[in-house]
Amino acid sequence: MSLPCVLSVAGFDPSGGAGLQADCKTIHALGAYALTVVTAVTAQNSRGVQAVYPLEDAAFGAQLAALGEDYQIGAIKIGMLSDAGKIATLARFLEQMPRVPVVLDPVLVSTSGTALLQPEALQTLITQLLPRCTLLTPNRPEMHYLAESIGCPLDQATHQSDLTHCMNKLGVKNLLLKGGHSQDADAGDWLLSTERNTETVTQSQWFRLPRLKVQHAHGTGCTLSAAIAVHLAQGQTLSQAVAHAKHFVHSALAQADQNQPLYRHITTAEAAKRRGGLHHFWKSDSLFE
Ligand code: PLP
């Protein structure tokens, strides 16, 4: 039996919590095969990003070309892009596969405050990649930032009409606005679809699960977007893919604090600031009992 291939284009996180590593674990945990193309190497641990080293554009393009000529890619997840050179190269690659679903997680800044997309690359992202995406998955701060950058700022209440106006200006057909950063008791994510190049809503659906109080939630956005890409590669509808991916992330988050790596000893106060990754293999636990 062959496995569907899901390509992750993202940054390298040596601590294993986010980026390519989170995507790779997610894709395999959900029964697909992970192809991974690195945009930049980060130096980081559970206490934050220390440095970012973008890869040469030619090395990035060569990875895409090597995979593109050998694998049938079922879906693509895009995370940290680092700079405009990677975006332009990726946009050209995507032109060769117009029907492959693309899920784009607009990774702009790490939780610890390091820029993961060079600010001057934002316009290139908007013009060259967003119109090609099947689904854009921003959290609220990312959505507000994108909206502001195209001159249609959103207010905190985020009305549907403002969002659809913004989607139309960005050329985005399907949006999953994640609620993880809101204060609501349930972490509601809002899936909004419009007809291409109009503000006519074709789908508006909320996905809600109880909010979890978890210390180790690094790479949650990466995991969600990779899981959605897997389910799209498996032939699910957008709504099914989001529902199943959210359930996967919820369980991986619920078990994150009990399944951390063995860390070096530091003071309790410092240890409380650690942000490790999720437990991606919660589904396989029964295999080891
Ligand atoms: N991708 C990479 C490579 C990263 O290093 C990070 C954050 O450090 C992220 C994505 C975003 O991770 P998070 O969802 O925890 O903010």
Side-chain angles (χ1 to χ4, degrees):
M1 198 191 75
S2 331
L3 302 174
C5 294
V6 175
L7 168 63
S8 165
V9 177
F12 180 92
D13 172 3
S15 72
L20 291 176
Q21 282 74 358
D23 294 348
C24 196
K25 289 186 240 182
T26 302
I27 293 165
H28 280 277
L30 288 171
Y33 187 91
L35 302 170
T36 52
V37 166
V38 60
T39 54
V41 172
T42 70
Q44 64 178 297
N45 55 30
S46 67
R47 295 149 81 186
V49 178
Q50 298 168 357
V52 175
Y53 303 94
L55 202 71
E56 273 176 34
D57 290 350
F60 174 69
Q63 295 174 76
L64 289 174
L67 297 180
E69 69 181 30
D70 207 23
Y71 297 90
Q72 187 70 46
I73 296 172
I76 301 174
K77 173 254 152 90
I78 302 173
M80 173 186 178
L81 282 161
S82 172
D83 54 79
K86 308 297 179 299
I87 296 169
T89 306
L90 181 56
R92 281 196 300 276
F93 176 75
L94 293 175
E95 281 170 13
Q96 301 162 29
M97 41 191 79
R99 268 185 281 279
V100 176
V102 174
V103 181
L104 193 146
D105 181 20
V107 176
L108 305 175
V109 183
S110 76
T111 308
S112 55
T114 304
L116 301 176
L117 180 72
Q118 293 171 2
E120 61 275 18
L122 188 65
Q123 285 309 318
T124 317
L125 176 78
I126 291 172
T127 53
Q128 297 200 20
L129 272 188
L130 295 197
R132 169 60 184 88
C133 289
T134 311
L135 178 70
L136 179 70
T137 65
N139 57 34
R140 282 180 182 262
E142 288 161 350
M143 189 64 222
H144 282 259
Y145 189 76
L146 285 170
E148 213 142 273
S149 72
I150 52 158
C152 57
L154 298 167
D155 61 25
Q156 284 310 315
T158 339
H159 302 291
Q160 180 170 301
S161 56
D162 295 339
L163 266 183
T164 53
H165 177 62
C166 190
M167 286 167 69
N168 189 22
K169 278 190 92 173
L170 289 167
V172 167
K173 200 172 162 294
N174 301 297
L175 178 82
L176 183 69
L177 183 61
K178 297 179 292 188
H181 286 68
S182 76
Q183 301 304 316
D184 307 343
D186 56 0
D189 299 338
W190 188 7
L191 177 64
L192 204 51
S193 302
T194 54
E195 262 170 32
R196 172 85 49 210
N197 301 326
T198 76
E199 293 175 32
T200 311
V201 175
T202 54
Q203 170 167 250
S204 170
Q205 191 177 352
W206 279 89
F207 297 85
R208 296 184 202 274
L209 287 173
R211 178 178 294 282
L212 297 167
K213 244 186 116 37
V214 178
Q215 176 182 348
H216 297 286
H218 176 48
T220 303
C222 306
T223 302
L224 181 76
S225 52
I228 295 171
V230 171
H231 293 313
L232 292 177
Q234 291 167 339
Q236 298 186 15
T237 64
L238 204 47
S239 167
Q240 289 166 335
V242 170
H244 291 145
K246 191 166 167 70
H247 174 253
F248 176 80
V249 171
H250 193 260
S251 298
L253 262 175
Q255 300 194 27
D257 287 359
Q258 295 78 46
N259 290 281
Q260 286 299 301
L262 192 57
Y263 292 113
R264 289 182 71 138
H265 185 72
I266 49 174
T267 64
T268 310
E270 281 300 308
K273 294 185 201 153
R274 279 187 162 130
R275 297 284 175 265
L278 313 190
H279 182 45
H280 295 88
F281 293 107
W282 60 270
K283 273 174 168 248
S284 326
D285 283 353
S286 55
L287 294 176
F288 304 112
E289 275 167 5

